[in-house]
Amino acid sequence: MKRIFDRVLGRTVDPGFKPAMHSAVSSELTHSDIEKYYLRIIADMMRRMMVPADSVEIGVKRSGTGPTGLTAFAGYVRILRWDPIMPVLLQNLPVIDGRIRKVVSASVILEHTHFTGLWFQATATAEGAPQALVGMPAELIRQPTGN
C-alpha cells in the first residue's frame, strides 16, 4: 500500500511504471462538430415551429470570420415542399433568427463562434409552391408614438 501512495504522491517512481501517453482524443471542437451543433439547434427550432422534417433541408456552413474575429457560421434552410405552415414560417423569420441567436449565446460550447444568420431559400421547383403572387401587397405606415 505504501508503494502505491509513494507512486501517487510522486516521492518515488516504480521502475516498471510508464507514464500515460498523450491521448489522441482532443478536447477541442472541430468545425464539423460546431456545424452539427448549430444544425441541431436549427432543426429543433423548425420542429418547434411544426415544420415537417421532410419539407425542409437544413445545413450549416462556415462563412468566414465574424466582426469580432471569431469563426462565423451560417444556417441554411431550403424549402423542399410548400406546406400550409410555410407562410407562417417566412412571416416569423426575425423571431426564429432571434430565438436561435438566444440559444447560441447561452451555449458555453459556442461562446467562441459567431452566428452569421439564417438564410432561407424557397424555389419555384419546390413541391406545391405558389405559381402566382399570393396575397395583397401592403404599405406599412409608421404611426408616431403618443405621449
Side-chain angles (χ1 to χ4, degrees), residues 46-125:
M46 293 295 122
R47 183 185 56 77
R48 289 175 185 223
M49 290 288 299
M50 293 188 272
V51 175
D54 60 343
S55 295
V56 293
E57 178 184 320
I58 303 170
V60 175
K61 294 291 179 192
R62 184 173 172 216
S63 62
T65 306
T68 57
L70 300 174
T71 305
F73 292 87
Y76 299 93
V77 178
R78 176 176 291 137
I79 297 174
L80 302 175
R81 193 175 75 217
W82 197 262
D83 289 319
I85 192 73
M86 292 306 166
V88 175
L89 178 75
L90 296 175
Q91 180 180 348
N92 289 298
L93 286 179
V95 176
I96 295 167
D97 184 77
R99 287 183 179 172
I100 291 171
R101 288 179 188 277
K102 186 176 180 180
V103 171
V104 167
S105 66
S107 174
V108 175
I109 295 173
L110 300 176
E111 67 184 5
H112 297 292
T113 64
H114 176 73
F115 182 63
T116 304
L118 198 57
W119 301 84
F120 278 80
Q121 179 187 28
T123 65
T125 58

Side-chain angles (χ1 to χ4, degrees), residues 116-142:
T116 304
L118 198 57
W119 301 84
F120 278 80
Q121 179 187 28
T123 65
T125 58
E127 181 185 326
Q131 300 301 317
L133 291 176
V134 179
M136 299 284 296
E139 180 181 348
L140 294 177
I141 300 173
R142 297 198 183 266

Side-chain angles (χ1 to χ4, degrees), residues 8-75:
V8 171
L9 296 175
R11 287 190 210 156
T12 60
V13 177
D14 184 7
F17 175 74
K18 293 183 181 177
M21 300 303 288
H22 292 292
S23 173
V25 178
S26 173
S27 63
E28 289 188 25
L29 292 174
T30 65
H31 290 298
S32 177
D33 295 334
I34 296 170
E35 288 171 0
K36 288 176 187 174
Y37 194 80
Y38 275 117
L39 184 73
R40 285 194 329 208
I41 293 170
I42 296 168
D44 184 55
M45 182 60 61
M46 293 295 122
R47 183 185 56 77
R48 289 175 185 223
M49 290 288 299
M50 293 188 272
V51 175
D54 60 343
S55 295
V56 293
E57 178 184 320
I58 303 170
V60 175
K61 294 291 179 192
R62 184 173 172 216
S63 62
T65 306
T68 57
L70 300 174
T71 305
F73 292 87

